[in-house]
Amino acid sequence: VVDRDGGVDERLASLGADPTWSPDGRWIAFSARGTGDPASADLMVVSSSGGAARALVESPGTQVSPRWSPDGTLIAFVDSGRLAVVQPDGSGLRIFPDPMHVTGLAWMPDSRRLLFDVSELLAFDTSAVFMRDLESGRVTVVTAIGADAAPSPDGTRIAFAAKRECGYYVRGIYVVGVDGKQLRRLTNH
């Protein structure tokens, strides 16, 4: 961590990647190289003021891409290609059994729903965006042509990148309603 004045930097953990701040700024969640298998990664959390990092998940898999919920009550992450959530104290682990290869995720502003990108394992450069309601468990398709989804601040629209040409869809940035309707292309590349 480096303060914004360019002052002293402080090393909070070694071999960490993909750090993300808690909404209150007190914690940083990140992935760190696994202790037993160098190809694995563990989900960790450390105080932003320093101290020992601690593992949040006891799982043999690889935990990457941590994202704090806007209300700070959950951390979503990808566990060996599956969508997962855990409370910041490490309790309440839920790994969703969907047979999908999750490649990215983002919280909706309400902290109840998660957007996640899924890559087709058999089709190069093909991805889709889904939304999971954590309370009901319901999964809906937002778009079958995109990735890198980002919700609008009010949660009514979702921006995403179309990464390949598919029918009349072309590469570029699109916006769609949270219900998957009112698709609009914003860029021509």
Side-chain angles (χ1 to χ4, degrees):
V1 174
V2 178
D3 68 30
R4 67 177 165 201
D5 298 326
V8 179
D9 63 333
E10 182 177 352
R11 182 177 175 171
L12 299 180
S14 63
L15 302 174
D18 204 10
T20 181
W21 290 86
S22 64
D24 65 8
R26 295 179 45 219
W27 300 96
I28 298 173
F30 63 99
S31 295
R33 183 176 295 160
T35 53
D37 179 2
S40 71
D42 295 330
L43 180 64
M44 309 287 287
V45 69
V46 66
S47 169
S48 61
S49 61
R54 63 183 165 81
L56 288 182
V57 176
E58 295 292 330
S59 170
T62 299
Q63 297 92 42
V64 296
S65 304
R67 303 289 182 265
W68 288 86
S69 61
D71 65 6
T73 61
L74 290 171
I75 301 170
F77 59 100
V78 178
D79 186 306
S80 299
R82 296 173 298 168
L83 181 65
V85 294
V86 69
Q87 294 174 7
D89 65 2
S91 65
L93 174 65
R94 292 171 63 192
I95 301 174
F96 298 100
D98 303 314
M100 301 178 185
H101 183 70
V102 176
T103 56
L105 51 100
W107 284 96
M108 292 296 288
D110 62 11
S111 295
R112 291 184 11 250
R113 297 172 293 164
L114 269 166
L115 296 171
F116 60 101
D117 305 339
V118 174
S119 290
E120 294 285 337
L121 295 176
L122 300 176
F124 176 72
D125 202 23
T126 302
S127 57
V129 177
F130 295 83
M131 183 168 45
R132 176 179 284 281
D133 184 304
L134 295 177
E135 291 175 9
S136 71
R138 183 173 177 218
V139 175
T140 55
V141 178
V142 175
T143 178
I145 64 161
D148 304 327
S152 62
D154 65 1
T156 61
R157 296 175 296 156
I158 298 167
F160 65 92
K163 297 192 174 196
R164 71 177 277 202
E165 298 195 15
C166 177
Y168 72 90
Y169 300 111
V170 296
R171 294 177 190 262
I173 302 298
Y174 290 77
V175 172
V176 67
V178 73
D179 59 1
K181 298 177 181 172
Q182 300 177 338
L183 179 68
R184 188 168 59 117
R185 186 173 70 189
L186 300 180
T187 68
N188 291 323
H189 357 330

